[in-house]
Amino acid sequence: MNDSEQLENGPDLARWLGFGGLIPFVFCATMAHSGNQQLAAYSLVGIANFGAVILSFVGAVHWGLAMQGERHPYWYAWSITPALLGWAAITLLGIRLGILALVPAFTLAWSVDRQAFLRDLLPVWHMRLRNILTVGAVLALILATFAPVIE
């Protein structure tokens, strides 16, 4: 990969790891529709917890931005916000509502990343990857939320 492709597409490893991060989302959303009560229940807990963990990861990017140069201290405050939103969603809400609450949290985190990108704080490849990964995570969360209740 030449330098211009690297700038546009980003590091291969980042793309592989990013897309690999969708596997737990897709797996859990699919298993939530399995028809097996125990597997579906574990899958709902799994996708909720993984969503909260990934929100923490997404926010951590902004902690890194805050450490670079003369960044405004609000980057530090924002960097922990996705983790707090994820924690609140899975701790304070029921499982389905908690999973559904992760959707606007991911959307908000994406919008803050977009603002950072528009200020040239994030590279083009990061935002392209972030767009795809956010759509994938959000769709999986919505799919899991609406899995049938098995009695």
Side-chain angles (χ1 to χ4, degrees), residues 79-104:
S79 73
I80 65 164
T81 301
L84 293 172
L85 292 173
W87 172 82
I90 66 170
T91 304
L92 304 177
L93 303 173
I95 191 67
R96 289 180 191 270
L97 186 56
I99 293 168
L100 193 57
L102 294 174
V103 171

Side-chain angles (χ1 to χ4, degrees), residues 3-142:
D3 288 341
S4 68
E5 288 174 327
Q6 184 77 12
L7 287 173
E8 190 171 314
N9 299 323
D12 288 337
L13 184 58
R15 283 196 321 276
W16 280 103
L17 292 172
F19 289 122
L22 288 177
I23 293 170
F25 281 112
V26 172
F27 178 78
C28 288
T30 303
M31 293 301 102
H33 289 267
S34 68
N36 178 306
Q37 184 177 5
Q38 189 171 9
L39 181 58
Y42 282 127
S43 296
L44 291 176
V45 170
I47 200 168
N49 286 311
F50 191 68
V53 166
I54 294 301
L55 272 173
S56 296
F57 177 81
V58 166
V61 168
H62 295 279
W63 188 277
L65 289 176
M67 293 188 299
Q68 295 180 8
E70 298 294 319
R71 302 285 191 248
H72 193 280
Y74 81 83
W75 288 110
Y76 288 113
W78 167 253
S79 73
I80 65 164
T81 301
L84 293 172
L85 292 173
W87 172 82
I90 66 170
T91 304
L92 304 177
L93 303 173
I95 191 67
R96 289 180 191 270
L97 186 56
I99 293 168
L100 193 57
L102 294 174
V103 171
F106 270 99
T107 305
L108 177 62
W110 173 86
S111 69
V112 172
D113 279 8
R114 176 132 172 86
Q115 291 304 309
F117 168 73
L118 293 173
R119 290 179 175 87
D120 291 324
L121 300 175
L122 295 171
V124 171
W125 69 264
H126 175 84
M127 202 62 218
R128 284 184 179 163
L129 185 60
R130 185 78 165 80
N131 292 339
I132 296 165
L133 298 178
T134 299
V135 168
V138 164
L139 289 175
L141 290 164
I142 292 169

